[in-house]
């Protein structure tokens, strides 16, 4: 956004001459109970300059600055503050900057977010900064390599609680107006973007963790878990503490570096933009992880994974931080990998690698095939680049590559490298070379080998496809076997892969089981022979990435593909089955398998899928296929078949099971015929029942949205349901349902609310967007294709990057999937060649998804 960007070159120059000694930040949040929209922020920043006399700047996004004092000298705010930066002229060797500002409460989830609970009218605050929104709350040097200790104090209403990264130094002090002031101990040396404040009348549960360390001392970690008071009845903090303790045990055992940040609080907060944030000592999570209604085991597994992901950041990211956002992967890839690794190693959630293979890597495969793909170690020119690189490559591809690295260097060498890395760089900043240096030593492979591995995997973009090639003699035995590797023309790198090739055969009881496994190195070449398999009887199925050791798209020989068409549900091993689901989905996206063939696989075999996460992913992918990949002339029949199949599986599912709930939700999403919709009405009214199915509040909203989108329910039903569920979640779901109504007036109202005003908080804006585009309403959203392109630059210029990103992605006319829409997108990209690079990136990605959909439709039509 204009005036708010920070370039890498600017950050490097500032870090070259400055070193920060510490911050003291005083926040007065008493105004949160009123409607002023602002709070007072007083920052004292002490820092050194290696070139006395030089000029620099501090960062601040604030509507008003009261005063700026540099080394005792009053500076005129009108002269030194431009709305995003404070000029610092003529620095001394040692400096003190004092900034007194009125900052703005946020309703976009950036900076200090303010939320009013509709249940009881209570106000809740929390901060979210990554990558650069701490400057919305206090004056600072907003870059990760200018670390410092932070001492916060917070003044707030008397009935509130307040939390920060460190524990309070004592009981809060009462002020004359009965408000309270909390003073928090200085933090360790950390980056601005992981500082945190949480304040409000939060419900708090407490626990404690202790561990005897190798030196004979005992590590004591107070644990806290917080949520809004109105959610306390649903808060299963005991389960959260259990996973937390299991994670702390695991990371202490493997990392051999005691948790360095004192307490460990976990706050579940409203209207959160992301899954969670690793603020040391005060981790924040989206409160949707508190389940008001029944959810499947996959939801609890997902939450445990996020808890462990954020905990891994205490070491990868917080203790040791990347120097600049180019090396964002040094924290996010490691946390994503360690989340799954620790989950399987330390908790009851044993499907972590199955979920990773089937769900997380699907995100990576999509991102890595976009025209805007980038190496894991990306070229991040500025903060807008950084914001967009919190993507499937940085997280999931990076994690998959780390899994490949563990296979390459060995588990023991990998963890020993991590231990040395933490001890060598504690409280500092690093780059890729720092990590490779320790791994070169612990693995025994040497610096040259690690550099070559890095060049292949971290410094190039794109995904390889691995395909088995085999010839068989007249007796059915393999005479030649090889693994073929290819790459896209625009990213032609072939890579070394450590893989396991699995051969699967049908048993007498009809199951597909592994009969042979060979682990080998696939060379960075087009063809790698596998002589170990010569002489083996031809199997029913070949998996060239069995056990999911590497990052690749797995392809099949024709015989294996025919086996999958008849027997995908018979694969006994759940990970192998998940890999096959992932592979056929990638084939569908790539236009190699007709979308209706993929839907046929879902209808025939998803009902037999034992892993609930894989089942729910298949549901999501089938829905996407229906909306975008099925040829237009086949959509109606395909939608009918999917709805019928969903209802059949719903009736067949074990009463009260996770699978029954998953099929009920899928049926609610896909119901479209008169009989189906009458059943939906009956389930909502309680006049129809399916044995064991509890139509709870979340399912009620799903059923109601289907009725609204089909024109069988409207304002009266929505108003009544919101009265029944007058909560933040209820309002969000009601908003999405209302926006899905099938009439032009509703679409116009939604467009106005999202695009032409800036009044909606982030959660409701997202809900409006979600309801706007319904697959059954293509003709209603088609008129907005042209206005979309007309408003793009205005939206990008006037909205925060978080909100602009949602609008640009969410309102792209993806349902108007025609060559004309593709041409209009190309015209915008041509005419707006000078638009912000981050905006152009988003539009190019949307364009690529549309082009892929058109190719898939052509495949399906054939």
């Amino acid at each position: 956004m204009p005036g708010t960007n920070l370039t890498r070159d600017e950050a490097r120059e500032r870090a070259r001459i400055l070193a920060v000694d510490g911050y003291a930040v005083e926040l007065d949040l008493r105004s949160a109970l009123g409607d002023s929209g602002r709070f007072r922020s007083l920052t004292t920043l002490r820092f050194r300059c290696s070139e006395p006399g030089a000029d620099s700047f501090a960062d601040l996004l604030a509507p008003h600055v009261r005063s700026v004092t540099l080394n005792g000298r009053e500076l005129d705010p009108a002269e030194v503050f431009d709305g995003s930066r404070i000029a610092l002229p003529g620095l001394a060797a040692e400096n003190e900057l004092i900034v007194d500002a009125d900052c703005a409460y946020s309703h976009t989830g950036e900076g200090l977010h303010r939320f009013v609970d509709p249940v009881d009218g209570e106000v809740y605050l929390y901060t979210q900064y990554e990558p650069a929104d701490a400057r919305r709350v206090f004056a600072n040097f907003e870059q990760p390599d200018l670390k410092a200790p932070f001492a916060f104090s917070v003044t707030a209403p008397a009935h509130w609680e307040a939390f920060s990264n460190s524990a309070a130094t004592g009981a809060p002090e009462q002020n004359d107006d009965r408000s309270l002031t909390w003073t928090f101990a200085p933090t360790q040396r950390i980056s601005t973007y992981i500082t945190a404040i949480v304040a409000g009348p939060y419900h708090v549960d407490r626990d404690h963790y202790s561990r005897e360390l190798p030196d004979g001392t005992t590590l004591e970690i107070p644990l806290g878990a917080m949520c809004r008071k109105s959610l306390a009845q649903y808060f299963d903090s005991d389960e959260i503490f259990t996973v937390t303790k299991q994670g702390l045990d695991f990371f202490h055992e493997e990392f051999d570096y005691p948790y360095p940040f004192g307490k460990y609080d976990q706050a579940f907060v409203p209207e959160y933009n992301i899954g969670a944030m690793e603020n040391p000592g005060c981790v924040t999570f989206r409160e949707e992880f508190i389940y008001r209604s029944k959810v499947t085991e996959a939801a609890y597994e997902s939450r445990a994974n996020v808890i462990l992901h954020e905990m891994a950041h205490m070491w990868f990211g917080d203790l040791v931080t990347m120097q600049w956002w180019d090396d964002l992967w040094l924290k996010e890839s490691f946390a994503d990998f360690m989340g799954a690794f620790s989950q399987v190693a330390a908790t009851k959630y044993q499907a972590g690698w199955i979920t990773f293979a089937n769900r997380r890597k699907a995100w990576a495969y999509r991102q890595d095939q976009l025209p805007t793909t980038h190496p894991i170690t990306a070229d991040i020119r500025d903060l807008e680049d950084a914001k967009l690189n919190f993507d499937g490559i940085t997280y999931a591809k990076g994690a998959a590559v780390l899994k490949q690295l563990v296979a390459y260097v060995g588990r023991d060498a990998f963890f020993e490298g991590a231990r040395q890395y933490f001890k060598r760089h504690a409280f500092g900043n690093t780059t890729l070379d720092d990590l490779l240096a320790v791994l070169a030593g612990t693995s025994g492979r040497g610096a040259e080998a690690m550099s070559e591995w890095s060049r292949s995997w971290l410094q190039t973009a794109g995904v390889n496809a691995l395909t088995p090639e085999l010839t068989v003699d007249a007796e059915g035995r393999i005479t030649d076997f090889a693994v073929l590797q290819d790459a896209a023309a625009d990213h032609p790198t072939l890579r070394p892969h450590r893989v396991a090739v699995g051969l699967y055969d049908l048993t007498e009881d009809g199951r597909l089981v592994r009969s042979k496994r060979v682990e080998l190195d696939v060379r960075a070449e087009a063809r790698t022979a596998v002589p170990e398999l010569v002489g083996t009887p031809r199997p029913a199925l070949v998996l060239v990435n069995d056990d999911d050791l590497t990052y690749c798209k797995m392809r099949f020989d024709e015989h294996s593909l025919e086996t999958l068409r008849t027997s995908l549900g018979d694969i006994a091993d759940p990970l192998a089955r998940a890999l096959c689901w992932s592979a056929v989905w990638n084939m569908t996206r790539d236009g190699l398998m007709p979308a209706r063939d993929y839907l046929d696989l879902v209808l025939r075999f998803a009902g037999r899928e034992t892993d609930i996460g894989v089942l729910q992913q298949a549901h999501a992918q089938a829905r996407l296929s229906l909306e975008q990949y099925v040829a237009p002339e086949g959509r109606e029949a395909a939608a009918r078949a999917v709805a019928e199949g969903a209802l059949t599986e719903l009736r067949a599912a074990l009463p009260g099971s996770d699978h029954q709930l998953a099929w009920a939700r899928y049926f609610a999403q896909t119901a479209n015929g008169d009989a189906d919709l009458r059943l939906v009405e009956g389930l909502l009214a309680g006049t129809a029942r399916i044995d064991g199915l509890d139509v709870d509040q979340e399912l009620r909203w799903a059923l109601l949205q289907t009725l609204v989108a089909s024109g069988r329910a409207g304002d009266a039903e929505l108003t009544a349901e919101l009265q029944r569920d007058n909560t933040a979640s209820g309002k969000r779901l009601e908003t999405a349902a209302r926006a899905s109504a099938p009439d032009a007036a509703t679409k116009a109202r939604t467009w106005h609310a999202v695009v032409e005003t800036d009044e909606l908080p982030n959660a409701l804006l997202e809900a409006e967007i979600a309801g706007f585009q319904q697959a059954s309403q293509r003709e209603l959203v088609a008129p907005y294709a042209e206005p979309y392109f007309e408003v793009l630059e205005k939206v990008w210029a006037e909205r925060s990057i978080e909100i602009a990103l949602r609008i640009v992605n969410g309102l792209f006319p993806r349902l108007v999937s025609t060559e004309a829409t593709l041409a209009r997108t190309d015209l915008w990209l041509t005419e707006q060649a000078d638009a912000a690079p981050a905006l152009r990136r988003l539009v190019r990605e949307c364009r690529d998804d549309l082009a892929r959909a058109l190719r898939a439709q052509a495949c399906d039509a054939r």
Side-chain angles (χ1 to χ4, degrees):
M1 302 304 151
T4 65
N5 213 348
L6 174 72
T7 70
R8 177 176 51 204
D9 290 342
E10 289 175 316
R12 282 176 176 169
E13 175 58 21
R14 187 161 61 176
R16 186 184 69 82
I17 64 171
L18 300 187
V20 188
D21 295 315
Y23 290 81
V25 180
E26 302 174 35
L27 302 177
D28 187 343
L29 307 180
R30 288 174 290 187
S31 60
L33 297 185
D35 57 4
S36 71
R38 299 182 182 184
F39 61 93
R40 191 171 182 181
S41 170
L42 179 63
T43 303
T44 301
L45 202 173
R46 295 179 177 86
F47 62 101
R48 285 165 283 130
C49 178
S50 63
E51 296 181 1
D55 300 338
S56 190
F57 63 93
D59 301 295
L60 178 67
L61 293 174
H64 177 66
V65 172
R66 300 184 182 203
S67 64
V68 177
T69 305
L70 178 62
N71 299 329
R73 177 165 46 106
E74 292 284 345
L75 304 180
D76 184 353
E79 293 180 0
V80 298
F81 179 60
D82 65 2
S84 63
R85 296 182 178 186
I86 301 171
L88 304 177
L91 294 174
E94 295 188 359
N95 301 273
E96 180 183 78
L97 172 68
I98 303 174
V99 179
D100 191 352
D102 292 323
C103 296
Y105 294 110
S106 165
H107 69 281
T108 65
E110 302 153 292
L112 182 60
H113 186 83
R114 178 181 181 272
F115 171 82
V116 181
D117 192 335
V119 175
D120 54 19
E122 294 281 14
V123 175
Y124 292 87
L125 306 176
Y126 64 86
T127 57
Q128 169 56 27
Y129 296 149
E130 193 172 40
D133 284 319
R135 56 192 170 151
R136 296 180 185 273
V137 177
F138 58 92
N140 60 53
F141 298 130
E142 190 80 284
Q143 56 191 80
D145 57 344
L146 286 178
K147 285 184 162 184
F150 292 81
F152 289 100
S153 71
V154 172
T155 299
H159 69 293
W160 282 20
E161 297 275 358
F163 312 93
S164 187
N165 304 91
S166 298
T169 56
E173 178 183 347
Q174 184 166 323
N175 302 309
D176 292 342
D177 64 353
R178 300 179 62 82
S179 63
L180 298 177
T181 297
W182 286 261
T183 300
F184 298 97
T187 69
Q188 297 277 15
R189 184 170 289 274
I190 60 176
S191 302
T192 54
Y193 74 91
I194 51 176
T195 60
I197 297 293
V198 175
Y202 283 89
H203 167 84
V204 184
D205 289 331
R206 299 199 179 280
D207 205 329
H208 191 269
Y209 172 87
S210 62
R211 179 183 180 86
E212 186 173 335
L213 299 177
D215 63 4
T217 62
T218 300
L219 177 67
E220 305 285 353
I221 305 176
L223 306 179
M226 303 86 173
C227 70
R228 287 186 289 129
K229 289 191 300 183
S230 61
L231 287 176
Q233 61 181 310
Y234 309 110
F235 197 30
D236 55 339
S237 58
D238 286 348
E239 167 67 10
I240 291 165
F241 286 136
T242 295
V243 173
T244 301
K245 293 174 184 178
Q246 290 169 333
L248 288 169
D249 273 339
F250 174 85
F251 289 122
H252 280 111
E253 189 70 27
E254 296 294 345
F255 290 167
D256 190 32
Y257 194 106
Y259 172 73
F261 299 110
K263 68 181 179 68
Y264 199 86
D265 289 340
Q266 297 174 97
F268 293 77
V269 298
E271 298 185 330
Y272 206 44
N273 284 329
I274 57 176
M277 183 64 203
E278 68 266 20
N279 317 307
C282 191
V283 184
T284 40
F285 297 82
R286 64 186 300 120
E287 67 180 18
E288 284 76 11
F289 284 124
I290 301 172
Y291 305 120
R292 302 188 311 151
S293 297
K294 182 179 178 181
V295 295
T296 67
E297 184 75 359
Y300 290 101
E301 179 204 302
S302 176
R303 183 178 68 184
N305 179 276
V306 174
I307 289 171
L308 296 168
H309 174 116
E310 303 310 321
M311 188 179 293
H313 274 309
M314 301 300 123
W315 290 266
F316 284 110
D318 295 357
L319 175 66
V320 183
T321 310
M322 72 275 158
Q323 184 169 304
W324 176 250
W325 301 102
D326 306 69
D327 284 310
L328 175 63
W329 78 283
L330 279 175
K331 74 184 190 75
E332 293 302 349
S333 299
F334 277 87
D336 219 45
F337 171 74
M338 293 308 311
F341 195 106
S342 60
Q343 186 175 22
V344 173
T347 77
K348 67 181 181 181
Y349 301 105
Q350 293 298 293
W353 288 123
I354 297 173
T355 302
F356 181 81
N358 188 249
R359 184 175 181 181
R360 297 298 284 180
K361 289 178 77 172
W363 181 27
Y365 294 141
R366 174 194 174 271
Q367 192 82 43
D368 210 9
Q369 294 175 87
L370 292 170
T372 56
T373 187
H374 56 84
I376 295 172
T377 54
D379 179 25
I380 304 299
R381 298 161 297 183
D382 53 35
L383 291 177
E384 288 189 3
D385 278 357
K387 182 70 173 179
L388 268 60
N389 266 46
F390 287 82
D391 61 16
I393 294 172
T394 301
Y395 283 73
K397 180 182 179 180
V401 166
L402 288 177
K403 191 177 184 185
Q404 172 73 177
L405 177 61
V406 173
Y408 178 64
V409 304
R411 182 190 190 282
D412 292 343
F414 176 81
F415 278 101
E416 179 57 29
R419 295 178 197 115
Q420 293 187 20
Y421 177 73
F422 299 141
K423 291 170 184 173
R424 190 176 301 178
H425 300 290
F427 303 108
N429 297 85
T430 57
T431 64
L432 166 64
D433 289 343
D434 296 310
L435 180 68
L436 294 181
V438 293
L439 288 175
T442 61
S443 69
R445 288 187 176 265
E448 184 175 345
M450 290 309 305
S451 293
E452 179 58 35
W453 180 88
S454 173
R455 283 192 293 273
S456 296
W457 281 107
L458 302 179
Q459 295 166 271
T460 59
V463 55
N464 302 125
L466 300 184
T467 307
E469 179 189 67
L470 59 159
T471 57
V472 180
D473 62 19
E475 297 179 352
R477 292 189 175 274
I478 296 172
T479 58
D480 184 55
F481 192 105
V483 176
L484 307 182
Q485 179 178 185
D486 63 69
D490 49 352
H491 295 287
T493 301
L494 300 180
R495 299 178 176 87
H497 296 262
R498 184 69 180 175
V499 302
V501 175
L503 309 185
Y504 287 75
D505 285 295
L506 284 164
T507 61
E508 291 183 0
D509 60 359
R511 297 183 305 147
L512 268 172
V513 298
R514 187 163 64 192
S515 54
K516 190 175 182 66
R517 179 185 186 273
V518 175
E519 192 165 321
L520 68 141
D521 289 320
V522 172
R523 297 186 300 273
E525 300 172 1
R527 189 178 191 275
T528 299
V530 188
E532 299 95 322
L533 294 177
V534 172
T536 303
R538 182 173 72 178
L541 173 68
V542 178
L543 300 187
V544 292
N545 186 28
D546 207 7
D547 295 328
D548 197 35
L549 297 185
T550 194
Y551 172 78
C552 71
K553 290 192 291 187
M554 186 171 67
R555 303 301 197 203
F556 302 101
D557 63 285
E558 283 299 321
H559 185 73
S560 294
L561 190 56
E562 285 305 309
T563 297
L564 289 179
R565 293 184 189 280
T566 60
S567 307
L568 192 157
D570 298 321
I571 301 172
D573 180 71
L575 177 57
R577 201 168 57 246
L579 289 170
C580 290
W581 279 115
S582 175
V584 295
W585 172 244
N586 278 322
M587 292 175 65
T588 306
R589 290 191 73 249
D590 290 347
L592 301 177
M593 173 179 282
R596 278 173 283 185
D597 283 9
Y598 176 76
L599 293 177
D600 182 63
L601 290 173
V602 172
L603 292 175
R604 293 172 62 199
F605 300 121
R608 298 167 57 187
E609 178 54 56
T610 58
D611 187 278
I612 189 63
V614 173
L615 173 62
Q616 290 177 291
Q617 183 77 347
H619 286 164
Q621 291 167 345
R623 188 179 184 189
L624 180 58
S625 290
L626 269 176
E627 290 184 355
Q628 297 186 41
Y629 295 165
V630 171
E633 63 272 17
R635 285 173 187 154
E636 185 175 349
R640 187 75 234 122
V642 167
E644 290 174 359
L647 181 56
T648 298
E649 296 295 347
L650 169 59
R651 294 191 186 281
L654 181 67
S657 66
D658 280 1
H659 285 67
Q660 184 189 53
L661 178 59
W663 283 108
R665 289 179 176 170
Y666 192 53
F667 173 67
Q669 293 172 351
T670 58
N672 58 51
D674 181 68
D676 286 350
L677 294 172
R678 280 190 280 110
L679 176 57
V680 170
E681 289 172 331
L683 290 171
L684 189 61
T687 58
R689 288 188 56 80
I690 293 177
D691 186 29
L693 181 64
D694 177 19
V695 182
D696 57 24
Q697 188 58 64
E698 297 290 325
L699 185 53
R700 287 184 62 83
W701 281 115
L703 295 167
L704 181 56
Q705 175 156 351
T706 295
L707 295 175
V708 172
S710 64
R712 297 173 78 114
D715 182 71
E717 291 83 0
L718 287 167
T719 300
E721 197 66 29
L722 185 60
Q723 290 175 348
R724 176 191 179 107
D725 183 27
N726 187 24
T727 64
S729 294
K731 181 59 180 174
R732 188 181 71 252
L733 294 167
E734 182 264 351
T735 298
R738 192 174 293 278
S740 68
D743 61 83
T746 293
K747 301 309 174 188
R749 179 200 60 78
T750 301
W751 181 269
H752 174 77
V754 171
V755 176
E756 297 169 1
T757 71
D758 189 17
E759 298 172 0
L760 290 174
N762 52 333
L764 295 187
L765 178 134
E766 186 175 48
E768 293 274 13
I769 292 172
F772 182 76
Q773 299 211 60
Q774 299 294 311
S776 61
Q777 300 168 8
R778 296 173 196 269
E779 71 288 349
L780 285 173
V781 298
Y784 293 92
E786 182 59 31
Y788 169 85
F789 293 104
E790 293 172 354
V791 303
L792 279 177
E793 289 185 281
K794 183 174 187 290
V795 165
W796 194 259
E798 296 179 357
R799 303 296 185 90
S800 71
I801 191 169
E802 182 70 41
I803 296 301
L805 189 154
R806 293 179 186 218
I807 294 173
V808 173
N809 278 333
L811 293 183
F812 182 82
R814 57 184 172 81
L815 294 178
V816 191
S817 51
T818 64
E819 292 292 343
T821 305
L822 193 66
R824 181 65 182 90
T825 310
D826 289 337
L827 179 63
W828 186 91
L829 288 167
T830 299
E831 292 182 340
Q832 269 64 47
D834 295 329
L839 172 59
R840 286 180 53 81
R841 170 178 167 168
L842 292 175
V843 176
R844 289 179 66 204
E845 291 177 351
C846 291
R847 189 256 183 220
D848 190 75
D849 281 340
L850 176 58
R852 181 178 291 274
L854 291 172
R855 291 194 298 270
Q857 289 172 26
C859 172
D860 192 60
R862 291 194 295 269

